[in-house]
Amino acid sequence: MEIRSNAVAIGDVPNPNATTVTEWRIDGVAVSRGVGMGSVVMFERGNQRFERIADERPNADTEISRFRLAVDRSIEELRSLIDAADVTPNGHLTDILNIQLLILEQSSFVSNVEDEMQSARLTAESALQNVQLRYAEKMASVHDPHHREKRLDIEDVCNRIAAALSGETRKQQTTYRDFVVAAHELTPSEMVEVCRQSPAAIITERGGWTSHSSILAREFQVPMVSGVKSIETKFLGGEMVIVDGQKGRIIVDPSEISLSTYAVNTEISISDGPPSEIGGGGTQTIDGTNITIRANADSEAAFTLAKQAGADGIGLFRSESLIGKPGRIPDEDAQIRAYSQIGSAVGDQGVRIRTFDIGIERYSPNGRHTEINPSLGLRSIRLSLHERSYFRVQIRALLRAAAHHGIAIVLPMISGVGEVEEAMAMIEAERKELSLKGVEHGSPQIGAMIEVPSAIFTAREIAAKVDFLALGTNDLVQYLLAVDRDNDQVSELYQTLNPAVIRALRAVIDAAESSRKPLLICGEMAGSAFYVPLLIGLGARELSMNSNSISQIRHLISGIGLADAQSLAASVDIAETADQVEAILRKFYKEHWQTLFPSGLLDAKHR
Ligand code: PEP
Ligand code: MG
């Protein structure tokens, strides 16, 4: 949405120059929080990457050896980027770069280009371009965000090879420091290139909340708004803008009033950063109710940060983070090492390891198998129960690592009691076999993720079978509302505050309580300040979140009272829409707990 108005409309701030000053407001999607101001610079993509005047019929052997050298050089570049990637402690940058490394080391891509050179007698540049176009066309025909990400990764890799073919390192086109960078779309490498120069903010046309670029922007803590349609026609470069990564708003040519309003808020949000006064040793509301805060962490580095912020162990370790290249499932020993390593880093507070939560495209070598509807297909626990030998290896590794470490097993995407029983029978069978063979092992607790509607309605029965429940709000919202969580075309419909979601949360929390089983809430909702008081009011007592959120959430919880949170939760019962729930929460927070929230958060849109 785009509104051209006198400045009065922005934040309802009256503008004394309203007759003379006109500012543009463009609404997009907030994908990385924070506010940035600066002059727009259009992102410059290196041109002429694929152009090389060459013989009409180049020598295939020469071209292939040029190409191989360029691939080797690109692999080296990616490796050194990975080595230098510790600036993003959550490890997402490393994960993304590893995906690209695997594309290069994956023979089908490299050999496809080589085949093209040979069969069509093309230069390495032309063959590379043809193969890239074929991949892009194939992926564009599938409406799946994972394919879109893969297309960007391939594009990124091709750019790198093309630069190496031309004998250049990918060079920096422009200086982005303190500028607002505008681009149609940024590949992960481009994003790293931009973010490393500390831009004021980033605006793009494409890229939803879960796209690699948005993840990287959050990791580098650069404010970003995406979903800006026809961005190239909106900006020429040089415009002064404010990018509000809380509200998902861009103000072009802002008035003095808007500039000073935002300047004040930015100062506040910098100075009131993460609260440091709360030490470790638990988190309590002001009336003394204990709330356990755990970490969503897949690496020791992420857990170290979480521990410094006061986390009690790991609530969600996504074991699929151990799978690099599609089909390369780590063997039993490698899994034991990984689980033991994280188990010993976490110590007594324990780590809840979720079994592989992947689809068939990541399970099959080279990602060859795809499904029309992967979110509803053979994935997660369904895949584990279908491909039993792969699941057995994981179970054995978990049981063996649990001999010496506080490990619990979490079963993802459970849709009913039957799957829980089947998985538990497999776990028990493996345990017996290890006993018979005299192999050391433990008896870890077992939990079920509640994230699909059928599990919500049978949560009581599921709870009776397991040691604990884990509520995955990311998928619960997706499946309950039938909204693809990664599709920015429907991001408006992805409503965490939809009354149906709140009723589902209440039902699951009640089921756990009446079954006397612990319930851990993970997913983005549990680490977001706007939702946490509501969750506590609904009865949540264990939350698991990303390391970056922990200090802020602990600070918030230690300032609220349970009775207030409960009456807040009761007050949303009358709401019929997400907007109404949001309005009730915002009003309550402003009246009761305004100072507990980071500045700007209560004025931002929350769905
Ligand atoms: C969830 O669905 O909320 C969750 C925690 O798991 P993931 O985001 O990995 O699906
Ligand atoms: Mg999930």
Side-chain angles (χ1 to χ4, degrees):
M1 200 215 314
E2 182 183 321
I3 299 172
R4 184 159 210 160
S5 69
N6 284 339
V8 188
I10 310 299
D12 295 321
V13 181
N15 182 350
N17 299 325
T19 49
T20 53
V21 178
T22 306
E23 57 184 20
W24 277 89
R25 194 173 89 189
I26 302 170
D27 282 341
V29 182
V31 291
S32 179
R33 295 210 183 279
V35 173
M37 300 184 199
S39 169
V40 171
V41 59
M42 302 307 288
F43 179 76
E44 273 182 49
R45 201 161 254 187
N47 294 326
Q48 296 140 3
R49 289 185 310 258
F50 295 102
E51 286 164 24
R52 171 172 157 249
I53 313 284
D55 305 339
E56 272 189 15
R57 306 283 290 168
N59 178 300
D61 290 342
T62 313
E63 290 305 306
I64 287 177
S65 48
R66 282 184 65 235
F67 176 67
R68 284 188 186 155
L69 277 175
V71 169
D72 288 347
R73 183 162 166 188
S74 304
I75 290 175
E76 253 171 56
E77 279 177 21
L78 280 171
R79 290 226 170 97
S80 55
L81 275 175
I82 290 168
D83 289 344
D86 55 344
V87 282
T88 64
N90 281 346
H92 294 305
L93 173 57
T94 314
D95 291 348
I96 292 165
L97 295 172
N98 266 320
I99 291 171
Q100 300 196 357
L101 195 55
L102 294 169
I103 292 172
L104 279 179
E105 290 172 341
Q106 183 177 311
S107 56
S108 74
F109 174 76
V110 170
S111 65
N112 280 347
V113 182
E114 291 182 0
D115 290 349
E116 184 81 4
M117 277 180 256
Q118 238 147 8
S119 58
R121 290 285 294 278
L122 291 174
T123 58
E125 285 86 347
S126 303
L128 183 64
Q129 188 170 30
N130 287 359
V131 172
Q132 183 194 333
L133 285 175
R134 276 211 297 276
Y135 272 75
E137 273 164 20
K138 201 165 127 200
M139 284 166 200
S141 65
V142 184
H143 296 290
D144 174 2
H146 300 296
H147 284 75
R148 194 174 63 214
E149 289 303 323
K150 197 161 173 197
R151 174 183 65 72
L152 275 183
D153 283 326
I154 286 177
E155 187 180 320
D156 218 355
V157 162
C158 290
N159 290 347
R160 193 175 291 284
I161 299 174
L165 279 169
S166 72
E168 301 167 10
T169 315
R170 268 175 30 132
K171 60 174 187 299
Q172 216 168 277
Q173 305 291 317
T174 319
T175 300
Y176 298 117
R177 190 180 182 82
D178 297 334
F179 282 96
V180 171
V181 181
H184 174 71
E185 182 170 52
L186 290 168
T187 66
S189 293
E190 290 166 344
M191 196 70 192
V192 173
E193 182 189 316
V194 169
C195 286
R196 286 223 163 118
Q197 294 180 58
S198 310
I202 295 173
I203 47 186
T204 63
E205 181 156 349
R206 303 200 59 171
W209 172 258
T210 53
S211 73
H212 288 169
S213 307
S214 309
I215 291 170
L216 288 173
R218 292 198 289 277
E219 201 136 309
F220 279 99
Q221 300 187 339
V222 176
M224 175 168 165
V225 170
S226 77
V228 179
K229 302 238 159 58
S230 312
I231 196 161
E232 276 107 350
T233 62
K234 291 211 168 76
F235 300 104
L236 294 169
E239 299 88 346
M240 178 65 196
V241 295
I242 298 172
V243 179
D244 183 339
Q246 313 269 21
K247 294 188 177 142
R249 175 169 294 172
I250 298 153
I251 300 165
V252 188
D253 292 335
S255 64
E256 288 298 320
I257 291 272
S258 294
L259 279 171
S260 55
T261 306
Y262 272 98
V264 169
N265 283 338
T266 313
E267 269 164 35
I268 293 167
S269 59
I270 291 164
S271 62
D272 73 0
S276 52
E277 72 274 20
I278 314 166
T283 306
Q284 295 184 331
T285 57
I286 42 177
D287 48 85
T289 307
N290 282 319
I291 309 292
T292 305
I293 303 293
R294 302 192 195 279
N296 292 350
D298 303 334
S299 67
E300 273 188 73
F303 178 66
T304 305
L305 279 183
K307 195 173 169 187
Q308 282 161 2
D312 286 336
I314 294 184
L316 177 64
F317 176 95
R318 295 171 160 106
S319 68
E320 61 274 14
S321 63
L322 306 175
I323 303 173
K325 191 171 173 175
R328 284 280 171 85
I329 313 297
D331 66 16
E332 189 172 325
D333 287 340
Q335 288 190 46
I336 293 173
R337 275 197 302 278
Y339 303 147
S340 302
Q341 198 181 345
I342 196 75
S344 82
V346 176
D348 291 346
Q349 291 160 338
V351 48
R352 285 136 200 85
I353 299 181
R354 184 176 72 183
T355 61
F356 295 132
D357 192 6
I358 59 171
I360 191 80
E361 77 292 343
R362 217 158 144 202
Y363 172 77
S364 62
N366 301 329
R368 235 178 258 127
H369 285 92
T370 52
E371 293 175 305
I372 292 176
N373 220 340
S375 305
L376 304 182
L378 187 58
R379 60 177 306 109
S380 202
I381 193 69
R382 301 170 184 181
L383 183 65
S384 298
L385 296 175
H386 189 266
E387 299 294 333
R388 292 184 161 240
S389 48
Y390 137 90
F391 193 34
R392 269 193 211 109
V393 170
Q394 183 167 37
I395 294 173
R396 278 199 301 273
L398 287 165
L399 293 174
R400 292 176 62 187
H404 301 288
H405 303 288
I407 285 173
I409 299 176
V410 186
L411 305 169
M413 208 190 168
I414 288 295
S415 63
V417 167
E419 283 167 349
V420 175
E421 286 178 337
E422 216 178 321
M424 288 180 85
M426 283 182 72
I427 295 170
E428 184 52 21
E430 291 309 317
R431 213 185 54 74
K432 279 196 178 131
E433 204 171 313
L434 290 173
S435 293
L436 279 175
K437 289 182 180 158
V439 179
E440 252 192 319
H441 63 276
S443 297
Q445 289 210 328
I446 298 170
M449 296 277 302
I450 304 294
E451 44 191 352
V452 298
S454 54
I456 297 166
F457 293 114
T458 54
R460 205 176 301 266
E461 289 79 1
I462 293 171
K465 304 280 174 193
V466 293
D467 299 304
F468 64 96
L469 297 180
L471 202 155
T473 56
N474 302 340
D475 276 319
L476 183 134
V477 175
Q478 151 163 278
Y479 290 123
L480 190 64
L481 304 182
V483 178
D484 183 343
R485 62 193 254 191
D486 292 322
N487 183 342
D488 46 348
Q489 309 281 354
V490 288
S491 60
E492 286 283 302
L493 300 174
Y494 188 93
Q495 298 170 341
T496 305
L497 294 178
N498 189 300
V501 173
I502 293 168
R503 284 177 211 176
L505 294 172
R506 197 188 283 286
V508 177
I509 291 169
D510 289 352
E513 212 174 86
S514 65
S515 314
R516 296 179 192 281
K517 295 288 166 70
L519 168 75
L520 169 81
I521 305 193
C522 44
E524 294 302 306
M525 189 177 189
S528 175
F530 201 81
Y531 308 127
V532 163
L534 172 66
L535 289 175
I536 291 175
L538 288 169
R541 296 294 176 265
E542 263 188 65
L543 306 174
S544 191
M545 63 197 71
N546 295 334
S547 316
N548 293 342
S549 306
I550 293 174
S551 298
Q552 197 59 255
I553 297 297
R554 292 186 70 217
H555 171 72
L556 170 64
I557 292 172
S558 61
I560 67 175
L562 184 64
D564 285 340
Q566 284 168 335
S567 70
L568 169 71
S571 71
V572 301
D573 275 349
I574 51 157
E576 294 174 355
T577 64
D579 284 344
Q580 288 172 10
V581 175
E582 186 194 6
I584 293 170
L585 295 184
R586 180 174 289 118
K587 184 164 180 286
F588 192 96
Y589 295 158
K590 285 192 169 178
E591 282 170 10
H592 296 82
W593 298 325
Q594 170 101 36
T595 56
L596 295 175
F597 289 88
S599 62
L601 189 104
L602 294 183
D603 294 318
K605 182 83 197 138
H606 297 273
R607 288 203 159 264

